[in-house]
Amino acid sequence: MTVLPSSPTPDSSSKNRPRNIFAPEFVRPAIAASFTKLDPRSVIRNPVMFVVELGAFLTLYIAVANAVTGKTFGYELAVALLLLLTVLFANFAEGLAEARGKAQAASLRAAREGTIARLVGGNQVSSADLKRGDRVVVETGEFIPGDGEIVEGIATVDESAITGESAPVIREAGTDHSGVTGGTKVLSDRIVVEITSQPGESFLDRMIALVEGASRQKTPNEIALSLLLSALTLVFVFVVATLPALSAFVGTTVSITTLVALLVCLIPTTIGGLLPAIGIAGMDRALQANVIAKSGKAVEVAGDVDILLLDKTGTITIGDRQATRFLPLPGVDEKTLARAAMLSSLADPTPEGRSIVVLARQLGVDVEAPESAEFIEFTAQTRMSGVDFQDSNGLISIRKGASSRIASLAQERGGSAPAELQARVDEVARSGATPLSVIQGNQVLGVVALSDIIKPGIRERFDQLRRMGLRTVMITGDNPLTAAAIAAEAGVDSFLAEATPEDKLQMIKDEQRSGKLVAMMGDGTNDAPALAQADVGLAMNSGTQAAKEAGNMVDLDSDPTKLLEVVEIGKQLLITRGALTTFSIANDVAKYFAILPALFVAAFPALGVLNVMQLTSSRSAILSAVIFNALVIPALIPLALRGVKYTPGSADAMLGRNLLIYGLGGIVLPFIGIKIIDVLLTLAHLS
């Protein structure tokens, strides 16, 4: 594969750099989008703002008609421009959120373009023409042309163009770290990659579409809130439509312009204008945390997750377990156990298998695979691997695997598992290592200790998850004693030992049937069914392509504690939407006190007591309310895009805090703002 000279590597160092919300590169396209989104076909997707836009056009028509007939039109024109400005501000908020996503997409697109792939056999094709099943050769210094699985070799890969992290990673055929992403660079060695995506459907293609907002769909909560806002808007339309008849009955008149202004101030325009931006910003914040969400629903659901299931190997632990000890059973020589374990591991490409070979050689054991050797690969169902071969004594069959499975195999072969086996297994398990039993024929030879390492800082992160109300469950194929030791060291709440893919899937279904929302983290092909079933399936980018396809989120950093940030982002999204909805509905109260007395105080002088702000005139009151209604949207854009800060605590405490800040604040702030605007309008009129 050759890299074209015109294809620079993206500056990954800036990928996760904090970005100013109102940076010029975001503001300019957002301003342009504010006007292009005035197209009624675009605005109608937001019923609240569609009503505001209709009101702007109606009052503008009245202003023009008054001007043509020689009537005064300043008031009508002012209301029309203010309503149009309200829609522009709402469009600007959405455009600003989209612009931030498109800036991310530009960096990702640079990582995808400009590579030529060298197929196995020597032919060269454009990376855009690669199809699923094609095999390509990638060597040192070359870019991987598409998503795939390494089927041959091991290499150091620079994934900074995708993840923003400068540290290279190891990718190897035959392991749970065999998945590679198009646009990443091979730093050493040679690999053969089998492409797993069709043209235009690669991981990067989907990332670009998602961060640009092109494929963003409304989440269920967002749809429900949109329906509520539409219903409130419809109710106030009917309320305002009855006012002319009521006004005529009491001997006063209300102009159409005033009715339109009243309607716009009554309906929840603040949350209506900011709702799309909140949803887009949620996915953008996930991307800033190096998490790709395949849908907004996944981010939202993460905020309500009850249980987190984590695969142990590669998630809670570093994953590359190393053979550290041979523990032979009584009557078995240590080198005999080492020889059998080595023979069964000669074709084992996993780090564990290679470490057994290395440990055996350190003991002075060095054997080669017999010509007749038939190696048996490990599967999650059998939970063992091994080798069969012929020698002078006939057929030799060696297996290594989970101790319970080896004990069962000994009985199947007419032998039995000595009582000492369980003692050796328990000894290894209590130390936190994984016991791997070895059998030759029907004789169990002993146990190999595989030591695993807990990832640093993980216990503290699990403590944080616990404070957020999440229960953590470690899932592992280890025996219960080993699982218990590692679970205690890692700080998880519970564990599922000796788990098969079917066990993981069943556990998720059981929790979901009890009404729980389940998040699953994993990286291997055997995690794929569970990732697909979970409400939130977070696959690690270092894992297999099958895992990444099954999950609805991908963690580009392959950090097992990343779900903590995902949950915080989900909760922040829900809290932000709820807080701004509360503020929007609460600040309507002040507008009632500003406009309703102004409309009917002449007919009902007693309503003057409601004019607590002592506004100058009816028109000043209406204009002040409409101006405040327009200005509050851009004022809240930073909050909508950054989100309301989430602090772990009880739901009651969080609700009380938000009601105090956004409920009471939503009532008080408009009183102050409308009064200040009224004073300024009066001073401007007097001058």
mmCIF file with all atom_site columns, all heavy atoms in Angstrom, residues 432-444:
data_model
loop_
_atom_site.group_PDB
_atom_site.id
_atom_site.type_symbol
_atom_site.label_atom_id
_atom_site.label_alt_id
_atom_site.label_comp_id
_atom_site.label_asym_id
_atom_site.label_entity_id
_atom_site.label_seq_id
_atom_site.pdbx_PDB_ins_code
_atom_site.Cartn_x
_atom_site.Cartn_y
_atom_site.Cartn_z
_atom_site.occupancy
_atom_site.B_iso_or_equiv
_atom_site.pdbx_formal_charge
_atom_site.auth_seq_id
_atom_site.auth_comp_id
_atom_site.auth_asym_id
_atom_site.auth_atom_id
_atom_site.pdbx_PDB_model_num
ATOM 1  N N   . GLY A 1 432 ? -5.060 -14.986 43.067 1.00 0.00 ? 432 GLY A N   1
ATOM 2  C CA  . GLY A 1 432 ? -5.560 -14.070 42.049 1.00 0.00 ? 432 GLY A CA  1
ATOM 3  C C   . GLY A 1 432 ? -5.153 -14.440 40.645 1.00 0.00 ? 432 GLY A C   1
ATOM 4  O O   . GLY A 1 432 ? -5.490 -13.741 39.697 1.00 0.00 ? 432 GLY A O   1
ATOM 5  N N   . ALA A 1 433 ? -4.412 -15.551 40.499 1.00 0.00 ? 433 ALA A N   1
ATOM 6  C CA  . ALA A 1 433 ? -4.014 -16.015 39.171 1.00 0.00 ? 433 ALA A CA  1
ATOM 7  C C   . ALA A 1 433 ? -5.085 -16.963 38.623 1.00 0.00 ? 433 ALA A C   1
ATOM 8  O O   . ALA A 1 433 ? -5.997 -17.381 39.327 1.00 0.00 ? 433 ALA A O   1
ATOM 9  C CB  . ALA A 1 433 ? -2.660 -16.716 39.239 1.00 0.00 ? 433 ALA A CB  1
ATOM 10 N N   . THR A 1 434 ? -4.940 -17.294 37.354 1.00 0.00 ? 434 THR A N   1
ATOM 11 C CA  . THR A 1 434 ? -5.888 -18.202 36.700 1.00 0.00 ? 434 THR A CA  1
ATOM 12 C C   . THR A 1 434 ? -5.266 -19.586 36.582 1.00 0.00 ? 434 THR A C   1
ATOM 13 O O   . THR A 1 434 ? -4.181 -19.735 35.997 1.00 0.00 ? 434 THR A O   1
ATOM 14 C CB  . THR A 1 434 ? -6.256 -17.690 35.298 1.00 0.00 ? 434 THR A CB  1
ATOM 15 O OG1 . THR A 1 434 ? -6.837 -16.398 35.413 1.00 0.00 ? 434 THR A OG1 1
ATOM 16 C CG2 . THR A 1 434 ? -7.235 -18.632 34.609 1.00 0.00 ? 434 THR A CG2 1
ATOM 17 N N   . PRO A 1 435 ? -5.914 -20.620 37.125 1.00 0.00 ? 435 PRO A N   1
ATOM 18 C CA  . PRO A 1 435 ? -5.373 -21.976 36.990 1.00 0.00 ? 435 PRO A CA  1
ATOM 19 C C   . PRO A 1 435 ? -5.761 -22.594 35.650 1.00 0.00 ? 435 PRO A C   1
ATOM 20 O O   . PRO A 1 435 ? -6.909 -22.502 35.222 1.00 0.00 ? 435 PRO A O   1
ATOM 21 C CB  . PRO A 1 435 ? -6.024 -22.726 38.154 1.00 0.00 ? 435 PRO A CB  1
ATOM 22 C CG  . PRO A 1 435 ? -7.306 -22.002 38.404 1.00 0.00 ? 435 PRO A CG  1
ATOM 23 C CD  . PRO A 1 435 ? -7.102 -20.574 37.982 1.00 0.00 ? 435 PRO A CD  1
ATOM 24 N N   . LEU A 1 436 ? -4.799 -23.198 35.005 1.00 0.00 ? 436 LEU A N   1
ATOM 25 C CA  . LEU A 1 436 ? -5.030 -23.868 33.732 1.00 0.00 ? 436 LEU A CA  1
ATOM 26 C C   . LEU A 1 436 ? -4.558 -25.305 33.907 1.00 0.00 ? 436 LEU A C   1
ATOM 27 O O   . LEU A 1 436 ? -3.374 -25.559 34.109 1.00 0.00 ? 436 LEU A O   1
ATOM 28 C CB  . LEU A 1 436 ? -4.234 -23.174 32.624 1.00 0.00 ? 436 LEU A CB  1
ATOM 29 C CG  . LEU A 1 436 ? -4.606 -23.469 31.176 1.00 0.00 ? 436 LEU A CG  1
ATOM 30 C CD1 . LEU A 1 436 ? -5.981 -22.903 30.855 1.00 0.00 ? 436 LEU A CD1 1
ATOM 31 C CD2 . LEU A 1 436 ? -3.570 -22.855 30.242 1.00 0.00 ? 436 LEU A CD2 1
ATOM 32 N N   . SER A 1 437 ? -5.476 -26.252 33.874 1.00 0.00 ? 437 SER A N   1
ATOM 33 C CA  . SER A 1 437 ? -5.113 -27.651 34.114 1.00 0.00 ? 437 SER A CA  1
ATOM 34 C C   . SER A 1 437 ? -4.680 -28.325 32.819 1.00 0.00 ? 437 SER A C   1
ATOM 35 O O   . SER A 1 437 ? -5.131 -27.962 31.725 1.00 0.00 ? 437 SER A O   1
ATOM 36 C CB  . SER A 1 437 ? -6.293 -28.406 34.729 1.00 0.00 ? 437 SER A CB  1
ATOM 37 O OG  . SER A 1 437 ? -6.609 -27.879 36.000 1.00 0.00 ? 437 SER A OG  1
ATOM 38 N N   . VAL A 1 438 ? -3.805 -29.321 32.953 1.00 0.00 ? 438 VAL A N   1
ATOM 39 C CA  . VAL A 1 438 ? -3.262 -30.039 31.799 1.00 0.00 ? 438 VAL A CA  1
ATOM 40 C C   . VAL A 1 438 ? -3.511 -31.533 31.992 1.00 0.00 ? 438 VAL A C   1
ATOM 41 O O   . VAL A 1 438 ? -3.273 -32.080 33.075 1.00 0.00 ? 438 VAL A O   1
ATOM 42 C CB  . VAL A 1 438 ? -1.748 -29.771 31.643 1.00 0.00 ? 438 VAL A CB  1
ATOM 43 C CG1 . VAL A 1 438 ? -1.196 -30.532 30.435 1.00 0.00 ? 438 VAL A CG1 1
ATOM 44 C CG2 . VAL A 1 438 ? -1.474 -28.274 31.508 1.00 0.00 ? 438 VAL A CG2 1
ATOM 45 N N   . ILE A 1 439 ? -3.997 -32.197 30.928 1.00 0.00 ? 439 ILE A N   1
ATOM 46 C CA  . ILE A 1 439 ? -4.253 -33.632 30.970 1.00 0.00 ? 439 ILE A CA  1
ATOM 47 C C   . ILE A 1 439 ? -3.600 -34.289 29.757 1.00 0.00 ? 439 ILE A C   1
ATOM 48 O O   . ILE A 1 439 ? -3.613 -33.724 28.652 1.00 0.00 ? 439 ILE A O   1
ATOM 49 C CB  . ILE A 1 439 ? -5.778 -33.920 31.001 1.00 0.00 ? 439 ILE A CB  1
ATOM 50 C CG1 . ILE A 1 439 ? -6.040 -35.421 31.151 1.00 0.00 ? 439 ILE A CG1 1
ATOM 51 C CG2 . ILE A 1 439 ? -6.463 -33.365 29.775 1.00 0.00 ? 439 ILE A CG2 1
ATOM 52 C CD1 . ILE A 1 439 ? -7.527 -35.761 31.340 1.00 0.00 ? 439 ILE A CD1 1
ATOM 53 N N   . GLN A 1 440 ? -2.997 -35.460 29.960 1.00 0.00 ? 440 GLN A N   1
ATOM 54 C CA  . GLN A 1 440 ? -2.449 -36.259 28.863 1.00 0.00 ? 440 GLN A CA  1
ATOM 55 C C   . GLN A 1 440 ? -3.099 -37.621 28.939 1.00 0.00 ? 440 GLN A C   1
ATOM 56 O O   . GLN A 1 440 ? -2.974 -38.330 29.932 1.00 0.00 ? 440 GLN A O   1
ATOM 57 C CB  . GLN A 1 440 ? -0.933 -36.371 28.965 1.00 0.00 ? 440 GLN A CB  1
ATOM 58 C CG  . GLN A 1 440 ? -0.315 -37.204 27.831 1.00 0.00 ? 440 GLN A CG  1
ATOM 59 C CD  . GLN A 1 440 ? 1.198  -37.113 27.802 1.00 0.00 ? 440 GLN A CD  1
ATOM 60 O OE1 . GLN A 1 440 ? 1.765  -36.083 28.109 1.00 0.00 ? 440 GLN A OE1 1
ATOM 61 N NE2 . GLN A 1 440 ? 1.855  -38.216 27.442 1.00 0.00 ? 440 GLN A NE2 1
ATOM 62 N N   . GLY A 1 441 ? -3.823 -37.966 27.874 1.00 0.00 ? 441 GLY A N   1
ATOM 63 C CA  . GLY A 1 441 ? -4.613 -39.185 27.923 1.00 0.00 ? 441 GLY A CA  1
ATOM 64 C C   . GLY A 1 441 ? -5.719 -39.014 28.941 1.00 0.00 ? 441 GLY A C   1
ATOM 65 O O   . GLY A 1 441 ? -6.524 -38.091 28.847 1.00 0.00 ? 441 GLY A O   1
ATOM 66 N N   . ASN A 1 442 ? -5.727 -39.912 29.947 1.00 0.00 ? 442 ASN A N   1
ATOM 67 C CA  . ASN A 1 442 ? -6.717 -39.759 31.015 1.00 0.00 ? 442 ASN A CA  1
ATOM 68 C C   . ASN A 1 442 ? -6.072 -39.379 32.343 1.00 0.00 ? 442 ASN A C   1
ATOM 69 O O   . ASN A 1 442 ? -6.698 -39.462 33.393 1.00 0.00 ? 442 ASN A O   1
ATOM 70 C CB  . ASN A 1 442 ? -7.546 -41.035 31.161 1.00 0.00 ? 442 ASN A CB  1
ATOM 71 C CG  . ASN A 1 442 ? -6.695 -42.226 31.604 1.00 0.00 ? 442 ASN A CG  1
ATOM 72 O OD1 . ASN A 1 442 ? -5.482 -42.104 31.789 1.00 0.00 ? 442 ASN A OD1 1
ATOM 73 N ND2 . ASN A 1 442 ? -7.340 -43.384 31.755 1.00 0.00 ? 442 ASN A ND2 1
ATOM 74 N N   . GLN A 1 443 ? -4.788 -38.962 32.282 1.00 0.00 ? 443 GLN A N   1
ATOM 75 C CA  . GLN A 1 443 ? -4.068 -38.591 33.504 1.00 0.00 ? 443 GLN A CA  1
ATOM 76 C C   . GLN A 1 443 ? -3.918 -37.071 33.588 1.00 0.00 ? 443 GLN A C   1
ATOM 77 O O   . GLN A 1 443 ? -3.328 -36.436 32.708 1.00 0.00 ? 443 GLN A O   1
ATOM 78 C CB  . GLN A 1 443 ? -2.676 -39.240 33.533 1.00 0.00 ? 443 GLN A CB  1
ATOM 79 C CG  . GLN A 1 443 ? -1.896 -38.895 34.806 1.00 0.00 ? 443 GLN A CG  1
ATOM 80 C CD  . GLN A 1 443 ? -0.463 -39.371 34.772 1.00 0.00 ? 443 GLN A CD  1
ATOM 81 O OE1 . GLN A 1 443 ? 0.018  -39.843 33.734 1.00 0.00 ? 443 GLN A OE1 1
ATOM 82 N NE2 . GLN A 1 443 ? 0.241  -39.252 35.892 1.00 0.00 ? 443 GLN A NE2 1
ATOM 83 N N   . VAL A 1 444 ? -4.458 -36.489 34.651 1.00 0.00 ? 444 VAL A N   1
ATOM 84 C CA  . VAL A 1 444 ? -4.276 -35.062 34.890 1.00 0.00 ? 444 VAL A CA  1
ATOM 85 C C   . VAL A 1 444 ? -2.877 -34.856 35.450 1.00 0.00 ? 444 VAL A C   1
ATOM 86 O O   . VAL A 1 444 ? -2.503 -35.454 36.463 1.00 0.00 ? 444 VAL A O   1
ATOM 87 C CB  . VAL A 1 444 ? -5.331 -34.520 35.884 1.00 0.00 ? 444 VAL A CB  1
ATOM 88 C CG1 . VAL A 1 444 ? -5.132 -33.023 36.101 1.00 0.00 ? 444 VAL A CG1 1
ATOM 89 C CG2 . VAL A 1 444 ? -6.740 -34.794 35.371 1.00 0.00 ? 444 VAL A CG2 1
#
